[in-house]
Amino acid sequence: MRDLLPVIGLWSLAVGALSGFAMVLVVDKPQYLNKVGITHHRRVFQTHLDWILMGLLLIAVGLVATDTPAWVLALVTIGAIVNPLLFVPLAFEEKIQETLAYRAVSGVSFVLLSAGLVAVAVAQTIAY
């Protein structure tokens, strides 16, 4: 699992880089995004930045988490993939964040990522 995290992180960076084209549209041609239903443009920025940050996070954890159980790395991976995706529906309709389903997925994702990162730190500290 540890060897897979940098690869997933690189794909996250790639998606973040591609989402940069949407950011260009936010700045230069926001009407094009409006045509496809994206009305909350700052969510495009958040998605772009989160994909990049989560990619860097996955690469870093994959490189240093030599003594971390695979199930802990799975928690980090799930959280790092789901968190950026949570901004996508908000770009179309911000009221979605008020629904129980969105709040549940968001909460679980943040708990998985946070708990996973704390567990990685604990595992690596113990191994040190």
Side-chain angles (χ1 to χ4, degrees), residues 2-14:
R2 186 179 73 83
D3 294 339
L4 190 56
L5 262 66
V7 174
I8 297 169
L10 288 171
W11 278 104
S12 181
L13 287 175

Side-chain angles (χ1 to χ4, degrees), residues 22-96:
M23 287 190 42
V24 170
L25 291 177
V26 166
V27 173
D28 293 338
K29 302 283 186 185
Q31 66 273 18
Y32 291 164
L33 294 176
N34 292 342
K35 285 182 181 179
V36 296
I38 296 174
T39 55
H40 303 283
H41 298 156
R42 72 183 173 97
R43 299 303 187 168
V44 174
F45 288 110
Q46 288 176 301
T47 304
H48 170 73
L49 291 175
D50 213 30
W51 272 122
I52 291 170
L53 291 172
M54 292 301 129
L56 294 172
L57 180 144
L58 287 170
I59 292 168
V61 169
L63 293 176
V64 302
T66 56
D67 294 298
T68 301
W71 67 270
V72 171
L73 299 177
L75 299 180
V76 172
T77 304
I78 293 166
I81 292 170
V82 174
N83 281 355
L85 290 174
L86 288 168
F87 291 115
V88 174
L90 299 178
F92 294 91
E93 178 56 62
E94 286 193 328
K95 289 186 179 185
I96 289 173

Side-chain angles (χ1 to χ4, degrees), residues 1 7 18 28 52-54 62 66 70 72 74 99 109-110 117-118 126 128:
M1 179 72 184
V7 174
L18 289 173
D28 293 338
I52 291 170
L53 291 172
M54 292 301 129
T66 56
V72 171
T99 66
S109 177
F110 286 120
L117 289 172
V118 169
I126 292 169
Y128 182 72

Side-chain angles (χ1 to χ4, degrees), residues 87-128:
F87 291 115
V88 174
L90 299 178
F92 294 91
E93 178 56 62
E94 286 193 328
K95 289 186 179 185
I96 289 173
Q97 67 188 342
E98 298 170 10
T99 66
L100 180 60
Y102 183 90
R103 294 177 95 156
V105 171
S106 178
V108 168
S109 177
F110 286 120
V111 166
L112 292 177
L113 182 61
S114 299
L117 289 172
V118 169
V120 168
V122 168
Q124 292 308 124
T125 302
I126 292 169
Y128 182 72

